Amino acid sequence: MNFAIAIHGGAGTIRRQFMTPEKEAEYRAGLAESLEAGYGILRHGGSALDAVMKAVIAMENNPLFNAGKGAVFTHEGTNEQDACVMDGSTRAVGAVAAVKHIASPVTLARMVMERSKHVLLCGEGAERFAVANGMTLVEPEYFYTKQRWDQLQLALKEEAREHKQEAQLDHSDHKKMGTVGAVALDNHGNLAAATSTGGMTNKRYGRIGDTPIIGAGTYADNATCAISATGVGEFIMRAVLAHDIAALMQYKNMTLADAANLVVMEKLTALGGSGGLVAIDWDGNIVMPFNSEGMYRGYKLADGTGEIAIFKD
Ligand code: ASP
């Protein structure tokens, strides 16, 4: 038996002193629920693809995390979400970007993978495809949480105070980003990765992040590894983060740990990007590096051992 799963619920400025014991317990419970959902699939001989889907959907449905219900707000006060899923056994991919009425964007991403000949659909077209395939759209109110709304108001106030130019993108990570993702290896030796996000608070102009960009925020290939990233998407895209790690493994024979460490801690850091990822290789080795202050994360192995963690230490 060699299967395993790793998940994340976003990276960013997550400091112990700003976290109450109650909040921490809620996050840990949310992560545990997601981990168990995916692990249950693997333990019963299910596929890595089904496992990462289950794990991500659990966090999309949990208002604590920035995906599905609880997604962050754009500058205009809307919720626009991105998601992606990749099957490492076939390298099939489905992704959606900037969807506004989809309760589970990762479910729609899987539909794109399995029922269309395309890889990435965006906005209205993606939602037309959803309806054509029997998915019910939800009203924008579905995504509302007070915490995310307050975060946007704070961001708008700060922006006004600092007289920032409209076009200036704020790359600082104190806006508390977030994204949810999962990677898994199943008992048949197949890898899969899935990621879903509301993106970044106060984003504008139809901004799309790294999550649905294959090879940036999400990637899976049985020959190397499966990866789901989180952090400031602009840098993750420029780093082609996930594929860079897979390429280092494939072409330079690097281990997952060495490749991920080099790409996150050195290359992403040198670019000025903040974030992290969860990754698993073909042999079930798991790494969860991040250069931000914290990352909601967890993993569980076939023997039932694992860990859930939030802070750096
Ligand atoms: N990577 C996501 C994005 O840029 C945000 C995050 O992970 O916090 O859209």
Side-chain angles (χ1 to χ4, degrees):
M1 298 286 261
N2 187 18
F3 60 84
I5 182 164
I7 61 164
H8 68 78
T13 310
I14 309 164
R15 289 193 198 133
R16 214 180 275 281
Q17 64 263 39
F18 298 142
M19 180 81 83
T20 62
E22 296 76 32
K23 257 277 160 296
E24 183 175 345
E26 277 181 49
Y27 274 109
R28 284 181 175 274
L31 291 168
E33 191 193 338
S34 159
L35 211 45
E36 289 307 321
Y39 187 78
I41 299 274
L42 297 172
R43 193 162 50 89
H44 292 106
S47 69
L49 184 61
D50 286 342
V52 295
M53 288 296 299
K54 272 262 180 186
V56 166
I57 290 168
M59 288 187 280
E60 284 181 333
N61 292 340
N62 187 333
L64 279 180
F65 300 104
N66 173 19
K69 185 158 182 63
V72 299
F73 285 92
T74 66
H75 185 69
E76 287 78 24
T78 59
N79 307 97
E80 291 183 13
Q81 309 199 53
D82 306 333
C84 182
V85 60
M86 183 161 185
D87 180 347
S89 65
T90 56
R91 307 240 318 244
V93 187
V96 294
V99 291
K100 292 184 179 174
H101 303 91
I102 306 295
S104 171
V106 80
T107 301
L108 183 56
R110 186 169 181 174
M111 273 186 182
V112 171
M113 179 172 91
E114 292 176 342
R115 301 191 202 172
S116 86
K117 54 180 188 227
H118 304 301
V119 162
L120 171 57
L121 300 182
C122 80
E124 255 182 62
E127 296 190 350
R128 276 208 307 276
F129 171 80
V131 172
N133 282 277
M135 192 181 259
T136 308
L137 303 185
V138 295
E139 293 302 319
E141 295 73 45
Y142 170 81
F143 302 104
Y144 176 90
T145 57
K146 184 172 180 310
Q147 184 209 353
R148 298 302 186 195
W149 184 254
D150 291 348
Q151 254 169 29
L152 172 64
Q153 302 316 310
L154 194 70
L156 292 174
K157 243 186 247 155
E158 272 176 27
E159 198 172 74
R161 198 170 48 231
E162 291 161 21
H163 304 294
K164 285 229 180 84
Q165 297 224 331
E166 263 244 325
Q168 215 175 321
L169 268 174
D170 189 345
H171 283 144
S172 61
D173 87 352
H174 70 281
K175 296 288 176 309
K176 201 157 168 246
M177 310 139 341
T179 279
V180 308
V183 294
L185 168 72
D186 65 28
N187 214 15
H188 315 285
N190 292 323
L191 293 170
T195 316
S196 183
T197 188
M200 304 197 50
T201 301
N202 200 21
K203 65 182 181 180
R204 28 161 84 91
Y205 310 127
R207 181 264 191 192
I208 292 167
D210 58 297
T211 297
I213 306 302
I214 205 62
T218 311
Y219 193 69
D221 180 359
N222 274 8
T224 51
C225 60
I227 296 178
S228 171
T230 170
V232 182
E234 280 66 16
F235 292 93
I236 297 173
M237 286 188 275
R238 286 163 61 199
V240 202
L241 196 82
H243 188 264
D244 198 20
I245 293 170
L248 286 168
M249 291 175 70
Q250 188 155 19
Y251 304 134
K252 287 192 109 182
N253 275 325
M254 281 174 84
T255 62
L256 173 64
D258 287 348
N261 199 49
L262 172 66
V263 170
V264 175
M265 305 314 271
E266 293 183 34
K267 295 171 86 172
L268 183 67
T269 304
L271 263 185
S274 161
L277 55 84
V278 292
I280 186 167
D281 71 11
W282 54 271
D283 198 23
N285 299 299
I286 287 173
V287 294
M288 305 190 289
F290 56 95
N291 68 1
S292 51
E293 296 202 33
M295 182 168 81
Y296 299 105
R297 61 198 185 278
Y299 71 89
K300 195 162 177 180
L301 309 177
D303 66 7
T305 58
E307 188 195 0
I308 286 174
I310 298 176
F311 310 104
K312 207 170 243 166
D313 42 47

